Amino acid sequence: MRKPEEDRFRAFAGGQAAALRRCAYLFCGDWHLAEDLTQTTLVKIYRAWPKVQKQDSIQNYARRVLLNTWLDEKRRPWRRSELRMAAPPDFEDVGADPSAAEARSWAKDMTHRALLELPQRQRAALVLRYFDDLSVAETAAVLGCSEGTVKSQTARGLDTLRVVVDNLTAGRPARRAVS
């Protein structure tokens, strides 16, 4: 890659890495995995950079690559073998979470916990629509589906999210949604 192209990629990666990492965290719910997903996404974009910079929206392309990277990671056999429990067997290491340094509100924590209970496509639609503030058309472009599918996945996701939040606030075990 030539120096001007590499400089443009470095500027892109420097400006978008934090947003991609936040989006990856909202997809997967794990800061360490979000770091890995972001790094893998940036490597994939770097490899295709001469073609990528001709795209209309490089940010949407990056989100699409991130989403596909996360979905590929979810399909890996060693990820499927883990059993999910209602309560973790070990204590959470709050110091390992970068956001623990800030005062986390109850609503933010509840939202993250509830998002993890949603099926993958519903979670992706909600994260892209409401956390990344994309339009229906932009979300459809990132997910590679029709606008109607985005609307239905968003509506179903919000309904499921309400049920999960109600269960979490009532102290009942959260219903694990099928992905």
Side-chain angles (χ1 to χ4, degrees), residues 22-128:
R22 179 180 61 86
C23 188
Y25 174 72
L26 292 171
F27 284 152
C28 68
D30 178 10
W31 283 111
H32 300 290
L33 180 57
E35 289 278 345
D36 292 344
L37 293 173
T38 303
Q39 183 68 30
T40 303
T41 298
L42 290 174
V43 167
K44 288 178 179 181
I45 293 171
Y46 179 80
R47 288 181 183 157
W49 186 250
K51 296 175 191 173
V52 169
Q53 55 185 335
K54 296 175 187 168
Q55 297 276 330
D56 290 336
S57 176
I58 298 174
Q59 287 82 10
N60 281 348
Y61 179 81
R63 287 185 190 104
R64 177 66 185 247
V65 172
L66 176 64
L67 176 64
N68 288 339
T69 302
W70 172 60
L71 291 173
D72 288 345
E73 184 70 20
K74 291 283 290 181
R75 291 183 191 115
R76 300 229 166 119
W78 56 84
R79 295 277 183 216
R80 274 186 251 139
S81 63
E82 181 178 339
L83 294 176
R84 296 200 88 171
M85 306 275 183
D90 298 328
F91 294 101
E92 179 180 353
D93 183 9
V94 181
D97 187 352
S99 67
E102 303 171 7
R104 291 177 17 156
S105 69
W106 175 84
K108 180 180 174 183
D109 183 50
M110 185 63 62
T111 303
H112 286 155
R113 288 175 40 206
L115 274 173
L116 295 177
E117 298 297 323
L118 295 178
Q120 295 173 9
R121 298 291 287 188
Q122 290 176 11
R123 186 183 327 164
L126 290 178
V127 167
L128 293 172

Side-chain angles (χ1 to χ4, degrees), residues 84-86 113-119 122 156-168 171-179:
R84 296 200 88 171
M85 306 275 183
R113 288 175 40 206
L115 274 173
L116 295 177
E117 298 297 323
L118 295 178
Q122 290 176 11
R156 288 183 188 135
L158 288 173
D159 289 342
T160 306
L161 195 63
R162 284 183 194 99
V163 169
V164 170
V165 168
D166 286 344
N167 288 341
L168 289 172
R172 294 186 297 259
R175 169 179 75 82
R176 177 69 182 140
V178 178
S179 300

